[in-house]
Amino acid sequence: MRYLLIEDNEKLAGAIVERLVLEGHVVDHAAQISMAHEFAALADYDLILLDIMLPDGDGRTFLNHQREKQDDTPVIVLTARSEVSDRVSVLDLGADDYITKPFDFSELEARCRAVLRRRRGDGTNTKRIGDVTFDPMSGLLRVGQTEVSLRNKEMRLIEIFLNAPDIIFAKSKLVDRLFSYDEDVSENAIEVYVGRLRKHLNGSNVQITTVRGMGYRLSVQ
């Protein structure tokens, strides 16, 4: 998953980024609203973590802007305000959830998973297609009776495909979803990770096929 973190407290932001990266996510960090707008214009995010009190304004203006332009990217607000009226205001503006500072990182991760499940209409974290099952919590891919422990980038790539079966993903789109701006990678890296996933899926009725000139598609054969 690719996250946008909008938080001006460098220590807190660093801790959040470190924790999410360890979970295998890609995280872009903006310390100001102006920077957040630039990031949001350049990339598609699976989830936005939004602080309210920022150096160049109120984070709610960013949230309102996103919703006014019909951007429905899930947003979790990080707030030090515990008053009910403050929480209600961000939810009314279109936030999907909020968490009050200080918070435990495990709770933040759980809220992220819950918001993403609700957006997908999933009741559990486990994803199934054909005879393949994937648990993003453990990183285990089950093909028939065989279990494989995936590496971080493999985990995120299979998750992208499983969330949108039969959809064609261009290499450039996958690079955007798997790597942050400060990672200098080429589209050849996608070929490597797709190759690894194909080996893991060998023997199943689920395949990642190449659509010439367009990209890759995961489907049940």
Side-chain angles (χ1 to χ4, degrees):
M1 295 291 179
R2 185 164 189 167
Y3 289 16
L4 174 59
L5 170 63
I6 308 169
E7 168 63 61
D8 66 318
N9 183 312
E10 292 295 333
K11 185 176 181 179
L12 175 59
I16 293 174
V17 170
E18 182 179 2
R19 183 70 176 249
L20 293 176
V21 169
L22 283 174
E23 290 293 314
H25 303 292
V26 174
V27 185
D28 293 318
H29 171 223
Q32 299 179 357
I33 295 175
S34 57
M35 188 184 300
H37 283 305
E38 292 177 8
F39 278 129
L42 293 172
D44 293 325
Y45 292 97
D46 298 290
L47 182 66
I48 296 174
L49 302 175
L50 174 64
D51 187 23
I52 292 298
M53 303 300 292
L54 293 161
D56 55 347
D58 191 315
R60 284 172 291 197
T61 62
F62 175 85
L63 173 59
N64 190 52
H65 175 79
Q66 293 298 102
R67 296 306 184 236
E68 283 186 343
K69 69 174 188 175
Q70 306 302 310
D71 186 325
D72 64 352
T73 303
V75 175
I76 297 178
V77 171
L78 314 177
T79 177
R81 298 174 175 176
S82 58
E83 291 81 2
V84 173
S85 60
D86 290 317
R87 301 197 298 269
V88 169
S89 69
V90 296
L91 293 173
D92 283 342
L93 279 175
D96 295 81
D97 200 357
Y98 63 86
I99 186 168
T100 304
K101 301 176 183 179
F103 50 78
D104 188 271
F105 288 117
S106 60
E107 180 185 0
L108 176 62
E109 291 168 350
R111 287 180 180 271
C112 291
R113 292 192 297 269
V115 165
L116 292 169
R117 282 200 307 271
R118 289 200 300 269
R119 281 301 178 102
R120 293 192 302 262
D122 295 340
T124 65
N125 288 314
T126 304
K127 304 175 187 300
R128 296 182 178 84
I129 183 172
D131 58 0
V132 170
T133 303
F134 174 62
D135 181 1
M137 289 292 294
S138 63
L140 290 177
L141 180 73
R142 178 185 290 272
V143 178
Q145 297 302 310
T146 303
E147 281 190 347
V148 180
S149 181
L150 301 184
R151 299 176 181 177
N152 280 343
K153 287 294 189 290
E154 295 170 352
M155 289 170 54
R156 300 313 160 199
L157 183 56
I158 194 67
E159 201 167 13
I160 290 169
F161 283 127
L162 290 174
N163 285 337
D166 297 317
I167 299 298
I168 299 172
F169 288 94
K171 289 181 183 178
S172 59
K173 188 71 170 181
L174 293 174
V175 168
D176 180 65
R177 297 289 296 276
L178 286 177
F179 300 95
S180 61
Y181 290 117
D182 58 359
E183 294 179 278
D184 185 19
V185 297
S186 70
E187 294 181 1
N188 292 336
I190 298 301
E191 297 178 10
V192 173
Y193 290 116
V194 167
R196 291 177 183 174
L197 287 183
R198 282 173 168 163
K199 289 181 180 179
H200 296 321
L201 294 171
N202 189 35
S204 76
N205 62 356
V206 176
Q207 294 183 12
I208 300 174
T209 56
T210 300
V211 182
R212 187 178 298 274
M214 298 180 69
Y216 299 106
R217 174 173 56 201
L218 179 140
S219 57
V220 179
Q221 303 300 306

